[in-house]
Amino acid sequence: MIGGLLGRLAADRRGVALIEFGFAVPILIIMTFGTVELSRYVLLHQKLDRIAMTLADLIAQSEELAETDINNIFDAVSHIGQPFDVVGRGRVVLTSVSRSGSQLTVDWQRINAGGLVAVSRIGQPGLAATLPAALTLTDGGNVIVSEVYFDYQPMLTGSLLGAQQLYRSAFFRPRFGSLDQIN
């Protein structure tokens, strides 16, 4: 009698699908949230690249600059960065660097009113500038640098990506002469 009952239980497969489903669901949920988080992370990097490139390019297209021009360009940050709050959780630094002899100098620098505290990696106004080794300026040359910082927080705690400060930069040479001062 007991042997027959055990034999019938061993042959019964009606609950197997439910047990397999119970094992598969957590794995599928983790994979779904991981895919969403990774997609969000990649999109954020693209947005930060676009902000850096667009702002440096807009400045470099100018023949001369006024404070209102720079403020208008800073206003574009929130629109370019959507759906991310780049103004609230980031910082944008615009810098003009020029070469005089062998000395690289930061001519001017403007920082938006972002919610993140970040210092330019290029340098401070009036002091020596640090540019990537691959970027060379001739004597009297000028370059506009746009730096974007963002405080990345993953949607889920314990994410593989983790909280981190993201950084992107773009370098453009002015098209119509030097932009070493703001009028």
Side-chain angles (χ1 to χ4, degrees):
M1 178 157 181
I2 297 241
L5 179 62
L6 289 176
R8 281 192 315 242
L9 279 174
D12 191 359
R13 300 284 181 218
R14 288 181 290 188
V16 171
L18 187 59
I19 292 172
E20 288 174 354
F21 184 71
F23 283 124
V25 166
I27 294 169
L28 291 174
I29 289 172
I30 290 170
M31 288 176 58
T32 300
F33 281 121
T35 302
V36 169
E37 186 66 43
L38 186 60
S39 299
R40 183 174 169 263
Y41 187 75
V42 169
L43 178 63
L44 176 59
H45 275 275
Q46 290 175 339
K47 292 290 186 172
L48 297 179
D49 280 336
R50 177 157 302 154
I51 290 169
M53 299 278 292
T54 301
L55 270 56
D57 188 34
L58 286 171
I59 296 288
Q61 290 178 28
S62 303
E63 291 185 38
E64 59 182 40
L65 284 173
E67 290 292 338
T68 55
D69 298 327
I70 294 174
N71 292 334
N72 291 337
I73 289 171
F74 277 142
D75 288 342
V77 171
S78 63
H79 299 290
I80 300 169
Q82 289 180 352
F84 302 100
D85 183 16
V86 179
V87 174
R89 295 179 53 201
R91 170 81 30 121
V92 177
V93 181
L94 296 174
T95 306
S96 173
V97 176
S98 62
R99 176 180 288 280
S100 178
S102 64
Q103 182 67 33
L104 290 171
T105 307
V106 174
D107 299 315
W108 56 262
Q109 190 171 79
R110 296 297 182 270
I111 302 171
N112 77 331
L116 181 67
V117 176
V119 178
S120 173
R121 295 182 184 182
I122 302 302
Q124 300 302 314
L127 301 176
T130 304
L131 293 176
L135 179 64
T136 58
L137 287 179
T138 59
D139 192 20
N142 182 229
V143 67
I144 302 299
V145 183
S146 174
E147 299 173 280
V148 182
Y149 298 85
F150 187 81
D151 181 27
Y152 173 75
Q153 299 292 327
M155 290 189 313
L156 301 173
T157 57
S159 171
L160 293 175
L161 300 172
Q164 54 189 292
Q165 187 178 87
L166 303 178
Y167 174 79
R168 289 288 182 265
S169 61
F171 303 84
F172 278 76
R173 295 181 197 273
R175 291 171 179 81
F176 303 106
S178 182
L179 292 173
D180 56 357
Q181 60 183 340
I182 298 175
N183 300 327

